[in-house]
Amino acid sequence: MMRLKARAKINWTLDIVGQRADGYHLMDMLMQPVTLADDITLVPAEEITLTTGGSPLLPADAKHLAYRAAVALKQHASYPDGAAIHVEKHIPVGAGMGGGSADAAGVLVGLNKLWGLNLPQVELEAIGLTLGADVPFCIRGGLTRTTGIGEIMENLPCGRNWPLVVIQPCESLSTKEIFTAYHEGVVDDRPDNKTAALALAKGDSAALAAAMANVMQPVSEARRPGIHDAIVALREQGAFVAQMTGSGSAVFGVFTDDASAAKAYEVLRIRWARTFLCATCMESVVFANDD
């Protein structure tokens, strides 16, 4: 049996810089894993099976990214057997935190080890890209500047980890709907990725706050006013910056120290049931133990 944690991600920045002929959007964003994670258990078996727990929104069927990842790896490596996969969800669903992508990444990394395939990380990332644009990052982890549709990643230095309070204040959003609405509006606030990257390397909170932005946030706020409410509340509770991640619906507040984050969490979780205390980190997939 193998146990591992598949960690969520946040977007420090998110910019859309173009669109390919096939409809995929070209991104320019800074991403990093956070300690909020789903728990994955892998057991050798003759066939691939999947069970889930922790969220009624995720049926354990062939559409689940964790299952699709296992099938893709099995086919890629021509592996004869399978695995019994269990995913216990903790990452909020439909939040813009890459929960499904994290599960796929965890399964690819875990089964690569469990099955003794020894495929290099770059090969796993290529398989991951066939499953979803965020999967390669969720395999690699670290602080990255990610461009293209998610396949071009530049590893960046990180000066420190930041305490976070994450809130999912409302129901999930359709990513397709948000992208469509984005093209119908005008973007007034774009991130400065170069300055934000330098601020993260130095651990400079003021420079980081000034450089951050998510171009999809105004569109999502217009459809889910609760996103704006949660951002305001995070700032009122001491976050030096608060922003939506991905296309929503989760937002995160960044704090300078653990005590301030914990205090804000205790206040905000009374108002919002889906409130999480976590921190940025560097590893996306973490092995808990091998039995």
Side-chain angles (χ1 to χ4, degrees):
M1 178 187 293
M2 179 178 291
R3 294 187 177 94
L4 54 90
K5 290 186 176 295
R7 287 173 165 167
K9 61 82 180 173
I10 58 165
N11 291 88
W12 287 111
T13 65
L14 190 157
D15 201 2
I16 299 172
V17 296
Q19 191 171 8
R20 300 194 318 194
D22 60 6
Y24 278 96
H25 288 82
L26 299 174
M27 315 297 288
D28 188 358
M29 50 194 177
L30 302 180
M31 295 196 294
Q32 190 170 2
V34 300
T35 52
L36 178 60
D38 290 343
D39 293 308
I40 299 177
T41 304
L42 304 171
V43 180
E46 292 184 1
E47 303 292 337
I48 295 171
T49 61
L50 174 68
T51 57
T52 61
S55 174
L57 301 176
L58 288 178
D61 58 24
K63 295 179 182 179
H64 196 295
L65 272 176
Y67 183 88
R68 290 170 53 199
V71 171
L73 183 62
K74 175 183 170 73
Q75 292 175 345
H76 178 86
S78 299
Y79 186 74
D81 297 319
I85 305 164
H86 181 74
V87 178
E88 193 69 22
K89 291 295 297 180
H90 303 289
I91 302 169
V93 176
M97 299 190 74
S101 297
D103 296 341
V107 166
L108 289 172
V109 172
L111 290 182
N112 186 47
K113 183 176 181 180
L114 184 73
W115 289 345
L117 303 178
N118 299 313
L119 299 180
Q121 180 177 293
V122 65
E123 198 166 341
L124 295 179
E125 290 175 4
I127 298 169
L129 187 63
T130 68
L131 301 165
D134 283 339
V135 180
F137 169 77
C138 289
I139 293 171
R140 179 176 298 198
L143 173 62
T144 69
R145 185 169 183 174
T146 299
T147 55
I149 64 169
E151 81 282 17
I152 305 169
M153 292 176 284
E154 176 189 357
N155 298 329
L156 299 174
C158 182
R160 59 164 291 180
N161 291 322
W162 295 96
L164 307 175
V165 175
V166 174
I167 301 171
Q168 188 182 30
C170 53
E171 61 207 62
S172 62
L173 290 149
S174 163
T175 301
K176 182 178 180 180
E177 176 190 350
I178 297 304
F179 272 114
T180 299
Y182 165 82
H183 288 290
E184 297 171 353
V186 177
V187 178
D188 295 322
D189 186 19
R190 293 191 180 276
D192 183 342
N193 282 306
K194 184 176 180 180
T195 299
L198 184 60
L200 286 164
K202 293 181 176 181
D204 185 337
S205 60
L208 176 60
M212 285 171 58
N214 180 339
V215 298
M216 301 181 80
Q217 183 173 307
V219 179
S220 297
E221 283 183 333
R223 282 152 181 77
R224 299 283 191 275
I227 292 173
H228 175 76
D229 295 342
I231 288 171
V232 170
L234 284 161
R235 290 171 176 160
E236 289 175 347
Q237 292 301 319
F240 67 81
V241 67
Q243 180 177 282
M244 188 180 80
T245 182
S247 59
S249 54
V251 302
F252 63 94
V254 193
F255 295 80
T256 56
D257 60 86
D258 293 336
S260 298
K263 183 178 178 180
Y265 166 74
E266 292 299 333
V267 172
L268 295 169
R269 71 189 184 108
I270 297 171
R271 180 174 176 184
W272 287 285
R274 292 189 297 273
T275 301
F276 308 89
L277 181 64
C278 57
T280 57
C281 56
M282 294 299 281
E283 289 184 290
S284 273
V285 179
V286 180
F287 289 94
N289 72 296
D290 301 325
D291 293 340

